[in-house]
Amino acid sequence: MQEHINKDVEDHPVDPYLYSCFKEKLTLPPLPAEEEQKLLKQIEKNFRVLLLPWILTTTNYEDANFLEIGCGDGKYGYYISEYIKHYIGIDIRKVSIQSAQDLLRDRSNCSVLLNDGLSLEKIKDKSQQFIFSYQTFIHMPDESIILGYIKEILRVLAEDGVAKIQLLGPFHKKGYRIEWIKLGTLFPNNEADSKVKWLVKKVFLKILRFVPMDFIFPIFRKNAHHNPWGSFGAFIHPSKIIELVNENDSYAEVLPSFYGSSAGANTYGIYWLIIAKKEAARPFFVTLG
Ligand SMILES: C[S@@+](CC[C@H](N)C(=O)[O-])C[C@H]1O[C@@H](n2cnc3c(N)ncnc32)[C@H](O)[C@@H]1O
């Protein structure tokens, strides 16, 4: 892994540590104010699905510390920090940290920190009741980085804390592969589908009327899913992570991540990893999204 780090630092001397998956889309182009507002509104909607039910169903959330790994420009922190005691966002990119600091300037309960991309060294042991990471682990280029972070999450997670981390499934990279599709997600869409695709879906649904709508079937695929932020990183089988978490006397489970990109919505290609020190700490609503 050291080799990989040195190579990336050479390629991108601006940042202390960058990932191959981010090479092409290292910084986002600045958006016009109107677009920026639209994006903020979209993030608010995401927040209401992915985070708010979890926060509100956690006991004493007002006194809780919240850590976000890969906070980007801090838009989730903007909404999260209204509910909890203290929010920390960490990210490897200086440009993200600067934007997040700008956005959260007036929030006295927020800190945004540049990290080394590998560890949570600035965070105290057992200090975080909430740990969240969205669209970030899916870019991490090797298994060892993901496992290293999981160990760090176990170190900083409070005894009553819960982590919700989005992970990449095996189906995203280019190349012949099998993907799993739920019949119920195959409804033809007049606007988005080409005529052929629309017809295929319609026929398919008719033929398969004898199976339940949550029937999952394999399809053969060649092209990679589109990712506007860069490319997809390493796939690590969730059972490896669960094993690591269990070895550390903690609880983990993996759920499909449906909300968001079409890749996540239609296939079992993106997961939520839920980690808790005790199973009882895991509120039901952490499972949404
Ligand atoms: C696609 S953006 C998502 C940002 C934010 N979570 C959101 O959903 O709006 C991924 C972010 O993760 C950061 N990132 C990538 N690898 C990271 C790592 N190893 N440690 C910390 N941050 C990382 C990137 O710099 C980037 O800001």
Side-chain angles (χ1 to χ4, degrees):
M1 197 171 67
Q2 195 58 39
E3 237 177 62
H4 164 83
I5 294 172
N6 292 339
K7 185 173 172 298
D8 268 2
V9 171
E10 272 166 34
D11 288 350
H12 302 289
V14 186
D15 288 274
Y17 177 36
L18 292 162
Y19 291 96
S20 51
C21 308
F22 263 79
K23 267 180 189 158
E24 289 128 52
K25 301 276 162 85
L26 211 49
T27 53
L28 284 178
L31 295 172
E34 203 180 295
E35 289 294 311
E36 194 54 39
Q37 273 312 310
K38 251 195 198 162
L39 192 58
L40 199 60
K41 280 276 152 220
Q42 180 57 48
I43 301 284
E44 184 180 7
K45 282 188 200 161
N46 297 352
F47 165 76
R48 289 178 178 279
V49 176
L50 299 175
L51 288 166
L52 194 55
W54 172 25
I55 293 174
L56 295 180
T57 51
T58 298
T59 319
N60 299 334
Y61 62 86
E62 304 96 328
D63 294 324
N65 293 327
F66 196 116
L67 170 67
E68 184 181 7
I69 303 173
C71 63
D73 54 11
K75 289 194 171 68
Y76 284 91
Y78 183 80
Y79 295 106
I80 294 164
S81 57
E82 285 179 21
Y83 293 87
I84 46 78
K85 188 173 88 188
H86 192 254
Y87 165 87
I88 303 177
I90 63 157
D91 205 287
I92 44 166
R93 290 186 300 167
K94 281 184 188 151
V95 60
S96 304
I97 295 295
Q98 272 153 11
S99 314
Q101 278 169 346
D102 277 353
L103 184 67
L104 304 173
R105 199 181 313 118
D106 300 330
R107 301 276 165 103
S108 57
N109 65 340
C110 293
S111 324
V112 192
L113 310 170
L114 187 71
N115 85 326
D116 60 1
L118 299 166
S119 74
L120 302 171
E121 61 181 359
K122 294 177 181 163
I123 316 290
K124 286 193 193 137
D125 291 1
K126 299 186 181 178
S127 59
Q128 304 302 310
Q129 279 76 26
F130 293 94
I131 302 179
F132 175 64
S133 189
Y134 189 48
Q135 298 186 339
T136 295
F137 278 64
I138 62 172
H139 293 294
M140 293 182 187
D142 33 80
E143 207 177 284
S144 58
I145 297 178
I146 298 172
L147 289 174
Y149 260 126
I150 300 295
K151 283 187 195 152
E152 280 289 82
I153 288 170
L154 289 167
R155 177 180 67 75
V156 304
L157 192 63
E159 285 301 328
D160 57 350
V162 175
K164 177 172 178 172
I165 310 293
Q166 199 188 39
L167 292 179
L168 189 70
F171 312 135
H172 288 81
K173 289 189 175 175
K174 206 171 149 186
Y176 288 110
R177 62 200 189 275
I178 290 173
E179 279 188 23
W180 299 92
I181 304 267
K182 199 189 230 182
L183 185 65
T185 63
L186 257 200
F187 287 110
N189 182 333
N190 279 330
E191 279 172 31
D193 291 340
S194 68
K195 268 198 175 139
V196 176
K197 206 168 173 186
W198 184 85
L199 200 68
V200 170
K201 280 184 178 178
K202 232 177 138 65
V203 172
F204 208 67
L205 276 171
K206 272 211 165 134
I207 297 173
L208 289 180
R209 267 195 190 143
F210 64 97
V211 298
M213 286 305 271
D214 56 356
F215 178 71
I216 299 166
F217 59 92
I219 61 158
F220 214 45
R221 203 170 188 139
K222 185 182 171 204
N223 296 331
H225 284 282
H226 174 66
N227 184 335
W229 308 99
S231 52
F232 290 112
F235 165 64
I236 172 165
H237 199 281
S239 64
K240 262 196 187 173
I241 302 180
I242 292 179
E243 215 172 273
L244 174 74
V245 173
N246 291 162
E247 279 164 17
N248 283 274
D249 293 330
S250 297
Y251 169 84
E253 69 180 285
V254 171
L255 306 154
S257 166
F258 292 118
Y259 181 76
S261 74
S262 57
N266 296 334
T267 71
Y268 282 69
I270 302 183
Y271 300 105
W272 283 115
L273 169 72
I274 310 296
I275 300 178
K277 287 280 168 67
K278 309 170 204 152
E279 183 174 354
R282 164 196 175 269
F284 173 70
F285 282 114
V286 77
T287 61
L288 275 184

